[in-house]
Amino acid sequence: IMKNNGIINFNAEFEEIEQEYTDLSVKLKQDSKLSQENSVDIENIKKQANELIEKCSIPVKKLSANKLEIDWDALDKSISIDFATMRENADKSSKKDANKVPAMSTQDYIVCTVIGFSATLIDIFLVGTPKRIKLPGGKEVVEGSALTGIFRKLGQNENGIIHKFYTFLEDICKVPYDVVDMKNDIMPKNHRLKSPGHDPLYGLIFAIFDFVFGTGTMINNGVIKIYQVGSQSISKKLLTVFYYLGHLISDILTPMGLPIPGGFLTQILELDINDTTLAKIFEKMYINGYDLRHFVSMTSSVAFQKLALNLYLNHNKTQIEHNDLKSITEAERIQEKAKKQKMLFITSSVAATGNAVKFLIGGKTPEAINLPQWIDIVMQSIKMIKAATRNMTYERLAINRKTIDAMWQELLKI
């Protein structure tokens, strides 16, 4: 074989192989660099994907070091379920947070029941049932109520300052409506009940009338009767308020006391009940000690309910977060107020039921009726009806807006 001018030219062949080798080597180096860069990108993608999978708790296998495994059908289904659940939760939250009568927890119901039952115990054992009892020798005393008994002892000490004060007022604050008419059943024991001028609530209206015209207005047997007692001096007419208040104070601590506020209105009610009238029933109650002092005693059970429930609500009060939209804050306050009203209604209902039991087991004596408690349950019922029938349009819109904002915040965290 000839080297220069033979059949095979080796120099030319090696040069061609060498060039191909060089080109391949350059290509391999480029591919290797690109592969390294892609490998880093892939690892970053895997890391981000795994973090997303863990955060969202979606049914996707975590990415392994060697392969990429994603169940796209499961992923799509999971995302759809999550959004559906979020919509459902938002709807439930909206309805729960914006009810005319907000929901209460089991603890709330227990607390209301316990407070109402405790008020019943106060009504039975402390307020009690007053009854006038005749003692040997003709003296009469009112017993049956521990709290009323405390009030009745005030001013009994003839040497005490209270006794001297009310007897002083009794001497100077004479009024024209202190009428006694034995023939027409207007006696010292009941004349204050039959006289509107002795009423602690509305009496001033009648007192002014009687002072100006020199009369004594009485309500007897369902009929308003006006007695002419003589003209009053100009000074008395000008100082009617002073004489009215002074006379009331002087009568509060006497054995018969003052009738309860509005008590004179019962004397108009000549309704027949078991061979008697409502006016006669209430007159008997007053004589037995159902007076202003006992009325104050009865309010103690109602006051206890309000105090105990307010303490519980203040202790468990949820702070209303400030919101840029005042309507949301206002709606939350209305909801909070509606829940409190519901709890007041339940508490008062339990206490009123307890008083009904007291009345039934106590021989159905009307003196056992806790009038302030029944007034309270009527008032709470009216407020409850008002809360349950209020227009919820703007209130629901505000609560819905808050719910939507909360859902957006949850989505932004994903």
Side-chain angles (χ1 to χ4, degrees):
I1 301 173
M2 295 180 64
K3 189 172 183 178
N4 295 323
N5 51 3
I7 298 172
I8 300 175
N9 187 348
F10 285 100
N11 289 333
E13 291 292 333
F14 277 106
E15 285 177 1
E16 184 177 350
I17 292 172
E18 185 178 356
Q19 185 61 45
E20 290 180 1
Y21 174 80
T22 300
D23 294 339
L24 180 59
S25 177
V26 171
K27 185 176 181 181
L28 287 172
K29 288 180 181 181
Q30 291 175 346
D31 289 344
S32 177
K33 183 178 180 180
L34 182 61
S35 177
Q36 291 177 357
E37 292 175 352
N38 289 340
S39 177
V40 172
D41 291 340
I42 290 173
E43 289 301 322
N44 288 333
I45 292 172
K46 288 180 179 179
K47 183 179 179 181
Q48 293 177 14
N50 286 334
E51 290 177 355
L52 183 62
I53 291 168
E54 184 175 353
K55 187 174 183 179
C56 296
S57 300
I58 55 179
V60 177
K61 296 179 181 178
K62 285 193 174 183
L63 307 182
S64 63
N66 301 321
K67 57 183 179 179
L68 194 83
E69 293 182 356
I70 300 179
D71 188 346
W72 294 105
D73 292 334
L75 176 60
D76 180 65
K77 183 179 180 181
S78 172
I79 293 174
S80 299
I81 292 174
D82 284 345
F83 276 107
T85 303
M86 289 176 70
R87 286 194 297 270
E88 183 180 352
N89 291 338
D91 184 59
K92 288 181 179 179
S93 176
S94 174
K95 290 179 179 178
K96 179 182 178 182
D97 293 341
N99 287 328
K100 288 186 176 181
V101 183
M104 289 169 48
S105 65
T106 303
Q107 177 178 294
D108 292 336
Y109 281 107
I110 293 174
V111 168
C112 289
T113 304
V114 170
I115 293 175
F117 181 72
S118 300
T120 299
L121 295 179
I122 292 174
D123 184 30
I124 293 174
F125 295 104
L126 293 181
V127 175
T129 303
K131 186 172 181 62
R132 188 171 293 275
I133 301 173
K134 286 187 177 182
L135 299 177
K139 185 179 180 180
E140 295 181 344
V141 295
V142 175
E143 296 182 350
S145 172
L147 288 178
T148 308
I150 294 174
F151 295 129
R152 285 186 168 274
K153 290 179 181 179
L154 296 175
Q156 295 301 307
N157 183 4
E158 294 183 0
N159 296 320
I161 188 172
I162 296 177
H163 181 81
K164 291 180 179 179
F165 177 66
Y166 89 73
T167 53
F168 167 75
L169 290 176
E170 189 176 35
D171 291 335
I172 66 171
C173 294
K174 302 295 184 181
V175 295
Y177 44 84
D178 237 0
V179 176
V180 174
D181 184 1
M182 303 290 285
K183 293 181 179 180
N184 291 300
D185 196 32
I186 300 178
M187 300 178 293
K189 282 186 177 181
N190 63 15
H191 80 284
R192 292 173 190 164
L193 177 64
K194 295 175 181 288
S195 169
H198 283 90
D199 190 82
L201 188 60
Y202 304 103
L204 183 58
I205 300 172
F206 296 92
I208 292 173
F209 175 84
D210 286 336
F211 267 100
V212 170
F213 295 100
T215 58
T217 303
M218 308 297 287
I219 301 176
N220 190 31
N221 297 323
V223 178
I224 297 177
K225 186 174 182 179
I226 299 177
Y227 291 81
Q228 290 295 329
V229 297
S231 178
Q232 303 295 305
S233 65
I234 298 298
S235 61
K236 278 194 171 185
K237 291 179 181 180
L238 294 174
L239 296 173
T240 296
V241 175
F242 168 75
Y243 281 95
Y244 165 72
L245 294 176
H247 191 75
L248 286 185
I249 295 172
S250 69
D251 282 347
I252 289 177
L253 301 178
T254 58
M256 293 308 302
L258 285 174
I260 67 172
F264 73 94
L265 295 172
T266 63
Q267 299 308 292
I268 302 176
L269 304 174
E270 287 290 297
L271 301 175
D272 292 332
I273 301 176
N274 296 330
D275 298 327
T276 186
T277 64
L278 187 59
K280 290 294 183 182
I281 291 174
F282 201 84
E283 180 183 334
K284 181 183 176 183
M285 292 170 64
Y286 170 66
I287 293 174
N288 275 330
Y290 206 88
D291 60 0
L292 182 61
R293 289 169 292 195
H294 188 63
F295 187 85
V296 174
S297 298
M298 290 186 289
T299 59
S300 62
S301 62
V302 180
F304 168 77
Q305 297 167 48
K306 304 293 187 291
L307 177 62
L309 188 58
N310 280 326
L311 288 175
Y312 169 74
L313 291 174
N314 289 334
H315 182 268
N316 295 275
K317 187 175 182 179
T318 301
Q319 188 66 31
I320 297 177
E321 298 180 1
H322 173 73
N323 197 292
D324 293 336
L325 289 176
K326 292 183 179 180
S327 59
I328 294 178
T329 304
E330 184 64 24
E332 290 180 334
R333 287 175 180 168
I334 294 174
Q335 287 285 300
E336 187 179 70
K337 185 178 179 181
K339 180 181 177 180
K340 180 180 179 179
Q341 181 55 55
K342 182 179 180 180
M343 296 182 73
L344 284 169
F345 174 75
I346 294 173
T347 302
S348 186
S349 297
V350 174
T353 302
N355 182 247
V357 173
K358 173 188 172 183
F359 171 76
L360 293 173
I361 65 177
K364 297 181 181 180
T365 174
E367 289 85 2
I369 297 173
N370 190 320
L371 187 59
Q373 181 62 67
W374 289 101
I375 293 175
D376 182 68
I377 188 60
V378 171
M379 296 301 296
Q380 298 304 331
S381 298
I382 293 173
K383 292 179 180 179
M384 193 66 187
I385 293 172
K386 184 178 178 181
T389 56
R390 71 185 187 277
N391 191 321
M392 289 284 292
T393 303
Y394 297 105
E395 199 173 331
R396 287 190 185 279
L397 286 173
I399 297 298
N400 287 345
R401 173 58 188 271
K402 179 186 175 182
T403 305
I404 292 170
D405 290 345
M407 291 301 103
W408 271 115
Q409 293 301 321
E410 289 298 321
L411 288 173
L412 291 174
K413 290 179 182 179
I414 298 177

